[in-house]
């Protein structure tokens, strides 16, 4: 029986030798895990046997198990080489997709289908990810690294060009011809892409069309752009002008340009007339409503004199600026009135003295408000005589379309001497049409900040009672009674106002009227305003420093200006805008529009005197470009807002476009969490998936299938899939592989041990053989 016992020892020594030899042989195999032979003794007994007298029957090989300890990490030059630091296995699929394989060997390459595979063609599995890199562990697929993007081409829609256009460039007046460099100043070229990623050469030409001059408002230099895609010219689209923050601009009938954000702007709708920002150059001065008399005959005006202006009264009724009732003006002619200029001045004074003294109506019947006083006084009416036409004219004291005048019920002298017939001498206010412009501004004088306490009663003294006033060319002194105490500063201002108005110029008989005196409690300043308006209106009030009037200057009114709108024409035809498209079709024209969109000249760049862009301040849109050969169409805009016009040389400061072709793979990055990011030549970065790891309840129970690969078994349990770096799973290191965890020193020791075991068991057989021979020899 000892022969068989020693035989089991020989077999076990042979098995241990084989396991050790296998470990030594695979010392260079990536991901290989050292095997260990586990032995057990053979012992059999029965219930009736004494265990103390039983002898074992040898040894048997129970199992060959593997030690899944960590191997050393070795770097490589292949970004697809992967190593696991910690627990876990790479999940693989066989080429037929039927079998799940697990391995620690991370030596991977790409196959002809761009799948990541090992040397035997088994495909590495990865989880799909969303845009944030979060993995869906229920959706595992073979990891694919496409060599170029598919469906990632981006059509060009926006181009950005930051240029410096030389300020000293010559203005070109010749018609543009891209084949003739003398018809443009500069050009730039770039590539644009269609939706399929096909590239086309785009060229932009620049021709200077205007230098800045003092005659312009505001002065600006202009460049015309011409845009080509290949050999096809792309025309600029209609572009609404904008302010500096991108707000669309609108214009009213007086040429006032305001952004849409302004509360006064009510954007138009439907079909509207087309107006160009560049054509808002017809600046006009606002004029008053003017009633013009009939021309005097030679019987009434001869040799520069009025024949009939000798004696008597002339009388007529007049209504100015929507007055409630007409007022009768009666003037007694006197010596010197034969001069029409003198008569005109005297009648003017008579009109203003009468109309300027009209009291307010206690309640304005035009409204439903209670105690809203109607202002009846009118100021600044002018009378003039034109010797070339022999006509007298009477003009409203205000300017603009809101002014009106009517001269009626004239007597014989008014008709004979001044040609005021009483028929047709009427000019109505205009609410819808721009005829005379906007109201002019009165002269406004603000005093300095007062130092006295204005919250209490106000007193005058001999030191502060005197005021020196000049109103519309008439200077006089106002002396308030003293000592006088006023309840508050407002009552003092009213007293000063009453003392200014009513003063009569002794030289002309003209009375001062319409001056208002108010107090600004926040600024602690007096504010003086004339009743007249326009550039001939003026006021100055000086007085004691107590009132903040010691250092005042003469202040003047202003005659307002406005811009006459001229509808844009093309080839002689009036142009309209319907749904943002330029057209000659006026159907559906809006009649209620008060604000019209104002447009830039197509394709034009404007720069101010400092070289900064004036327009456009947003991207310049272009019409759709249809590509040659029926390859589709492109709709693009070019952003020139970073361009300048300095005296330096032409330069492309910045250039970009948002299109992209299909991209070639430029780089691959695999993170420690297994996230695979690919970078392509078109600038796109794509997350292709996340390499996951598998782990088992009992890794030692895995079934070896060669190539450092394993199959799950009942002993190992089913695979648990998880993300690298999460609990129970190691991390992934790209560009490296895990070496075998075989310790050669240990294996050599095990080899010697196995050899000694084999020799000892062989010696035991030899001894048994000798003893058996001795027994056989006893018989002989």
């Amino acid at each position: 029986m000892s022969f068989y016992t020693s035989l089991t020892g020989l077999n076990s020594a042979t098995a241990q030798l084989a396991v050790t030899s296998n470990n030594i042989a695979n010392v260079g195999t990536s991901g290989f895990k050292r095997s260990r032979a586990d032995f057990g003794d053979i012992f059999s007994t029965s219930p009736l046997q004494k265990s103390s007298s039983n002898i074992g029957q040898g040894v048997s090989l129970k199992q060959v198990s593997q030690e899944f300890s960590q191997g050393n990490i070795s770097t490589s030059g292949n970004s697809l080489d992967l190593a696991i630091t910690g627990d876990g296995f790479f999940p693989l699929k066989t080429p037929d997709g039927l079998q799940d394989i697990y391995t620690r060997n991370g030596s991977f390459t790409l196959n002809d289908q761009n799948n990541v595979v090992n040397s035997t063609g088994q495909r590495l599995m990865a989880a799909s990810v969303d845009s944030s890199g979060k993995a869906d562990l229920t959706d595992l697929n073979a990891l694919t690294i496409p060599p170029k993007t598919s469906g990632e081409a981006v059509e060009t829609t926006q181009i950005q060009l930051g240029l410096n256009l030389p300020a000293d460039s010559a203005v070109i007046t010749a018609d543009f011809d891209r084949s003739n460099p003398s018809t443009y100043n500069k050009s730039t070229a770039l590539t644009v892409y269609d939706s399929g990623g096909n590239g086309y050469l785009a060229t932009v030409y620049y021709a200077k069309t205007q230098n800045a001059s003092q005659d312009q408002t505001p002065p600006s230099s202009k460049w015309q752009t011409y845009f080509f895609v290949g050999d096809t010219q792309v025309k600029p689209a209609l572009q609404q002008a904008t302010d500096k923050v991108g707000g669309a601009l609108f214009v009213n009938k007086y040429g006032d340009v305001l952004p849409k954000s302004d509360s006064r702007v009510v954007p138009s709708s439907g079909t509207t007339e087309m107006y160009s920002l560049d054509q808002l150059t017809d600046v006009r001065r606002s004029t008053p409503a003017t009633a013009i008399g009939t021309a005097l005959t030679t019987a009434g005006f001869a040799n520069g004199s009025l024949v009939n202006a000798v004696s008597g009264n002339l009388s007529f009724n007049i209504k100015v600026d929507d007055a409630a009732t007409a007022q009768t003006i009666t003037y007694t002619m006197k010596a010197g009135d034969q001069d029409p200029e003198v008569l005109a001045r005297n009648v003017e004074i008579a009109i203003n003295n009468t109309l300027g003294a009209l009291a307010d109506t206690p309640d304005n019947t035009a409204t439903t408000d209670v105690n809203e006083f109607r202002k009846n006084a009118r100021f600044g009416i002018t009378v003039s005589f034109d010797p070339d036409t022999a006509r007298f004219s009477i003009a409203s004291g205000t300017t603009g379309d809101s002014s009106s005048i009517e001269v009626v019920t004239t007597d014989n002298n008014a008709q004979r001497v001044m040609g005021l017939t009483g028929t047709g001498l009427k000019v109505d206010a205009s609410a819808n049409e721009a005829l005379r412009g906007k109201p002019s501004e009165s002269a406004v004088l603000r005093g300095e900040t007062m130092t006295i306490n204005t919250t209490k009663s106000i007193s005058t003294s001999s030191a502060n009672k005197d005021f020196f006033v000049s109103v519309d060319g008439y200077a006089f002194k106002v002396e308030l009674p003293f000592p006088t105490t006023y309840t508050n500063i407002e009552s003092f201002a009213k007293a000063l106002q009453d003392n200014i108005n009513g003063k009569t110029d002794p030289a002309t008989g003209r009375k001062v009227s319409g001056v208002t005196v108010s107090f600004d409690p926040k600024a602690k300043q007096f504010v003086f305003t004339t009743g007249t308006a326009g550039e001939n209106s003026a006021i100055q009030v000086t007085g004691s420093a107590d009132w903040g009037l010691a250092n005042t200057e003469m202040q003047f009114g202003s005659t307002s200006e406005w811009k006459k709108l001229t509808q844009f024409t093309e080839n002689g035809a009036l142009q309209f805008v319907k749904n943002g498209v330029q057209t000659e079709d006026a159907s559906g024209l809006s009649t209620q529009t008060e604000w019209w969109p104002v447009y830039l000249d197509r394709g034009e760049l404007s720069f101010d005197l400092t070289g900064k862009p004036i327009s456009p301040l947003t991207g310049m849109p272009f019409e759709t470009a249809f590509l040659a050969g029926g390859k589709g169409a492109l709709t693009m805009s070019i952003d020139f807002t970073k361009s300048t016009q300095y005296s330096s040389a032409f330069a492309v400061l910045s250039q970009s476009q948002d299109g992209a072709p299909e991209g070639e793979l430029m780089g691959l990055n695999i993170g420690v969490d297994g996230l695979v990011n690919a970078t392509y030549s078109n600038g796109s970065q794509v997350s292709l998936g996340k390499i996951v790891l598998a782990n088992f309840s009992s890794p030692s129970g895995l079934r070896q299938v060669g190539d450092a690969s394993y199959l799950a078994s009942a002993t190992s349990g089913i695979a648990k899939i998880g993300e690298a770096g999460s609990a129970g799973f190691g991390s992934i290191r790209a560009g490296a592989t895990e070496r075998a965890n075989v310790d050669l020193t240990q294996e050599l020791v095990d080899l010697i041990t196995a050899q000694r075991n084999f020799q000892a068991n062989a010696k035991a057989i030899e001894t048994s053989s000798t003893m058996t021979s001795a027994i056989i020899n006893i018989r002989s």
Side-chain angles (χ1 to χ4, degrees), residues 92 101 103 105 107-109 116-124 707 709:
L92 307 174
I101 306 293
T103 185
N105 184 357
S107 297
F108 296 109
T109 59
V116 178
V117 297
N118 63 7
S119 57
T120 60
Q122 296 165 346
R123 295 175 294 173
L124 176 64
D707 295 317
S709 299

Side-chain angles (χ1 to χ4, degrees), residues 435-447:
L435 298 174
R436 297 184 294 274
K438 300 180 292 184
S440 294
E441 301 294 330
S442 299
V444 178
L445 169 69
R446 297 186 72 93

Side-chain angles (χ1 to χ4, degrees), residues 313-578:
N313 297 332
L314 58 82
S315 176
F316 56 88
N317 288 358
I318 186 171
K319 292 175 63 176
V320 177
D321 293 343
D322 195 31
T325 57
Q327 301 296 322
T328 301
I329 306 299
T330 301
Y331 172 71
T332 302
M333 291 181 286
K334 54 189 176 183
D337 284 342
Q338 292 87 350
D339 184 342
E341 300 291 343
V342 174
L343 178 62
R345 182 174 64 251
N346 290 336
V347 173
E348 176 183 303
I349 292 172
I351 295 173
N352 283 297
N353 286 349
T354 300
L355 298 187
L358 295 176
D360 296 341
T361 302
D363 187 40
N364 185 1
T365 57
T367 71
T368 58
D369 297 336
V370 178
N371 295 328
E372 183 185 44
F373 290 91
R374 183 185 183 109
K375 302 293 183 181
N376 294 317
R378 300 290 185 267
F379 314 101
I381 293 86
T382 59
V383 181
S384 59
F385 180 77
D386 185 354
D388 295 331
T389 60
R391 293 173 182 267
F392 280 94
S393 60
I394 304 176
S396 166
T398 60
T399 63
D401 292 326
S402 59
S403 63
S404 64
I405 193 167
E406 183 178 6
V407 177
V408 294
T409 318
T410 58
D411 65 4
N412 289 333
N413 279 340
Q415 297 176 21
R416 289 187 309 109
V417 176
M418 299 186 66
L420 305 181
T421 61
T423 58
L425 299 184
K426 180 181 179 182
V427 180
D428 292 324
S430 175
N432 301 317
E433 189 176 3
L435 298 174
R436 297 184 294 274
K438 300 180 292 184
S440 294
E441 301 294 330
S442 299
V444 178
L445 169 69
R446 297 186 72 93
E448 297 176 329
T449 300
M450 295 171 57
T451 58
I452 64 174
N453 188 348
T454 58
T455 61
K456 298 180 179 180
S457 58
I458 304 298
S459 299
T460 56
S461 65
S462 59
N464 62 17
K465 64 181 178 60
D466 295 329
F467 298 84
F468 298 90
V469 183
S470 176
V471 178
D472 298 343
Y474 170 41
F476 53 92
K477 178 182 178 181
V478 171
E479 182 177 344
L480 294 181
F482 75 97
T484 303
T485 299
Y486 298 89
T487 305
N488 49 44
I489 191 68
E490 286 77 14
S491 60
F492 175 82
K494 180 65 168 60
L496 180 58
Q497 174 180 302
D498 292 343
N499 276 271
I500 292 175
N501 290 313
K503 295 291 184 182
T504 303
D505 184 353
T508 63
R510 178 172 66 90
K511 294 181 180 180
V512 176
S513 60
V515 175
T516 60
V517 182
S518 61
F519 179 73
D520 183 347
K522 292 184 178 179
K524 293 188 67 176
Q525 295 172 341
F526 276 123
V527 181
F528 300 86
T529 306
T530 59
T532 56
E535 60 189 10
N536 293 325
S537 176
I539 189 169
Q540 182 179 18
V541 180
T542 58
S544 169
D546 292 348
W547 318 120
L549 302 174
N551 300 301
T552 60
E553 299 288 342
M554 182 75 74
Q555 300 298 315
F556 299 91
S558 62
T559 299
S560 62
E561 294 182 339
W562 59 292
K563 296 175 183 177
K564 179 68 175 177
L565 295 185
T566 301
Q567 190 172 347
F568 188 79
T569 61
E570 196 166 271
N571 299 323
L574 293 174
Q575 299 296 298
F576 301 86
V577 178
K578 180 180 294 185

Side-chain angles (χ1 to χ4, degrees), residues 173-211:
T173 57
D175 291 339
F176 172 75
D177 181 359
R178 68 181 304 202
S179 63
N180 184 1
S182 65
T183 61
Y184 59 89
N185 299 88
K186 301 293 179 181
S187 66
T188 53
L190 71 160
T191 302
V192 296
Y193 300 93
D194 63 15
S195 58
N198 301 306
Y200 305 87
L201 181 65
T203 309
V204 186
Y205 300 88
Y206 311 93
K208 193 173 188 181
T209 57
Q210 175 182 293
N211 283 323

Side-chain angles (χ1 to χ4, degrees), residues 21 102 115 160 256 396 405 500 576 685 712:
S21 298
Y102 305 95
N115 297 138
Q160 189 275 322
D256 297 326
S396 166
I405 193 167
I500 292 175
F576 301 86
Q685 293 185 347

